[in-house]
Amino acid sequence: MSLTQFGPVYSGRASAVRAGEVVLSLVASGLVGMRGWAGVRRLQHPYDRSLQLGLDRLAALCVRAGSSPPVGVADLVGVWCAERPLDSWPLEFDPDAQVGGERLLIGGEPSEFCLEWAVAARDVVSEVHESALVKHVKDTAALLGRPELYARWRLFVTEHAVLGPAEFVAAKNAVLDVPQWATWLEESYGPVTAEAAGGRVAVCGGCGQWIAPRADGRVRCRVWRCAHRHDLPEPALVEAQGARRLEPELVRFVALPGRPELDLARRLAERGARVVLYPKLDALDLVAVWPGGYSIGVDVKDWHSPYLLARRIKTFPNWGAGDPHAYRKGYLVVPRDRLRANRSYMRILAQRSEALKAQPHIEVVCDDDLVESCPDLGTAGEVVCGP
């Protein structure tokens, strides 16, 4: 959806909420567009167009509300986004949007809240997943009749944030019977930039992804889950000379969401299941089958905002009994720590998701509860990328 296609603002409660969401999405998209994964460290010109559009709409709503608007983009970014929580903005939001206390910039970087609203505005997830690279991987895997190649590529980039020169060469040569594999790796990783601190790249001991140093030179992971850990291991340091690091958009939209998916897959395998990752080119995140015939299909959703997630839930596939990926029970899984941080999470999902209402047979659970409900054979299974 193009940012220029947002309709006019009408009177009434619903349209006031919609107007607030449009402004929030535009501003969030502009902040992310300014610097991307490396962060908003300093104001730059030209500004992202969506940021200017957001400012224009915010200014108009401020005038209507009798409030003083931001004095230009610098004030919007440096003061409103960095210092003022959204519930202090003269905008109206649905209570389930849970904007109270949320800021769009934290430590000069887009907050997780900001990143998700940027996705909502510009459909960044769809853009990334249907980008030239990802589409090429999917199309080639389908054409070759080897859908496991797509799963294998996703698994690799999720687990390998930084590769040394020898590791990168070995990775490119890992699938010699598929010449395109080397190209996928070339396009997935870029050279380490001057942001490396002291000639080395920091890799987070929690999420496993590379860390862009802060403006003050400190190295601290900005990922929400890592930022809230008191026992976060020290980052590993990899020599930057000749190293490659995963492209920022793949970090944000493939590797980071992939961590809880892989964690759940391994926990189910520990209970004796054979777990297939990303079956049918990512129709689901995983299908787990136990020797006794028990089987589940799972989509893992690691979102900060249940309000936005509810809009993104899609219909689960229904595969017949003869299909190698057939499953008996479908689950939408939310990591436990998301629920601990937001007691209204499940209620908002249930009330706001039309897809869940249309699929009452799909159970929404946290990862811990799903694992505990599954058989435990006392022997290890396996995690695989193909049927």
Side-chain angles (χ1 to χ4, degrees):
M1 178 174 66
S2 169
L3 287 172
T4 60
Q5 292 178 336
F6 286 117
V9 177
Y10 302 103
S11 61
R13 161 70 178 166
S15 60
V17 168
R18 180 171 178 271
E21 291 188 2
V22 169
V23 170
L24 172 55
S25 293
L26 285 168
V27 174
S29 294
L31 294 173
V32 173
M34 283 174 66
R35 292 287 288 173
W37 177 256
V40 184
R41 298 239 182 87
R42 62 180 183 278
L43 299 181
Q44 297 187 91
H45 295 280
Y47 299 113
D48 187 281
R49 184 168 182 267
S50 60
L51 195 61
Q52 186 63 57
L53 288 172
L55 173 61
D56 294 343
R57 287 176 180 255
L58 175 59
L61 292 173
C62 285
V63 171
R64 291 186 188 182
S67 302
S68 299
V71 185
V73 174
D75 186 36
L76 172 63
V77 175
V79 177
W80 285 60
C81 295
E83 299 178 4
R84 292 186 57 173
L86 279 160
D87 50 338
S88 73
W89 294 29
L91 301 175
E92 193 162 352
F93 295 102
D94 190 295
D96 283 348
Q98 299 179 312
V99 304
E102 297 284 359
R103 288 183 291 140
L104 295 182
L105 290 178
I106 297 177
E109 304 294 334
S111 64
E112 188 177 41
F113 183 89
C114 175
L115 291 172
E116 289 188 352
W117 275 94
V119 169
R122 303 183 68 174
D123 200 12
V124 177
V125 168
S126 293
E127 289 179 12
V128 170
H129 280 275
E130 296 303 325
S131 68
L133 172 59
V134 178
K135 186 175 187 303
H136 178 62
V137 176
K138 283 187 175 181
D139 289 349
T140 303
L143 185 63
L144 294 174
R146 295 182 58 182
E148 78 280 0
L149 289 172
Y150 170 75
R152 185 171 175 179
W153 170 77
R154 281 198 62 163
L155 175 61
F156 185 86
V157 299
T158 298
E159 292 188 312
H160 299 86
V162 180
L163 296 170
E167 293 173 312
F168 187 58
V169 172
K172 288 170 56 180
N173 293 330
V175 190
L176 292 175
D177 61 327
V178 181
Q180 296 91 335
W181 177 269
T183 301
W184 300 343
L185 270 292
E186 284 281 0
E187 296 188 18
S188 301
Y189 292 84
V192 173
T193 67
E195 289 176 339
R200 292 182 292 181
V201 187
V203 178
C204 178
C207 67
Q209 299 306 311
W210 56 266
I211 306 172
R214 297 176 182 268
D216 60 6
R218 294 177 58 202
V219 177
R220 175 72 180 179
C221 186
R222 303 176 181 89
V223 173
W224 171 85
R225 189 165 280 114
C226 299
H228 285 76
R229 282 185 59 176
H230 299 295
D231 60 343
L232 187 68
E234 288 295 317
L237 297 176
V238 180
E239 291 299 324
Q241 183 66 36
R244 297 289 189 109
R245 70 180 186 183
L246 192 62
E247 292 290 356
E249 66 273 14
L250 295 180
V251 170
R252 186 179 298 129
F253 298 113
V254 177
L256 287 178
R259 300 291 292 194
E261 295 163 3
L262 296 183
D263 176 66
L264 178 60
R266 287 164 179 152
R267 292 170 69 187
L268 295 175
E270 288 174 359
R271 299 175 78 91
R274 184 177 188 271
V275 184
V276 180
L277 293 173
Y278 314 116
K280 294 184 184 289
L281 302 173
D282 205 17
L284 287 173
D285 288 330
L286 61 93
V287 169
V289 181
W290 278 258
Y294 186 82
S295 60
I296 59 174
V298 177
D299 240 3
V300 181
K301 298 299 183 185
D302 186 26
W303 283 62
H304 174 84
S305 169
Y307 183 74
L308 293 180
L309 171 58
R311 304 176 183 181
R312 295 307 184 107
I313 298 171
K314 298 180 180 179
T315 303
F316 270 53
N318 184 16
W319 299 319
D323 193 288
H325 302 302
Y327 59 92
R328 293 185 180 180
K329 178 70 175 177
Y331 291 93
L332 188 142
V333 174
V334 178
R336 168 78 69 182
D337 52 7
R338 294 293 186 186
L339 306 184
R340 279 199 294 261
N342 185 349
R343 294 184 178 180
S344 301
Y345 204 106
M346 291 299 202
R347 174 190 63 78
I348 294 172
L349 269 190
Q351 293 180 352
R352 294 287 179 170
S353 172
E354 295 302 320
L356 289 178
K357 292 176 184 177
Q359 304 173 91
H361 59 287
I362 301 299
E363 190 172 345
V364 184
V365 298
C366 80
D367 51 354
D368 291 345
D369 289 345
L370 175 61
V371 172
E372 288 300 316
S373 72
C374 290
D376 186 354
L377 304 184
T379 57
E382 60 180 343
V383 177
V384 299
C385 293

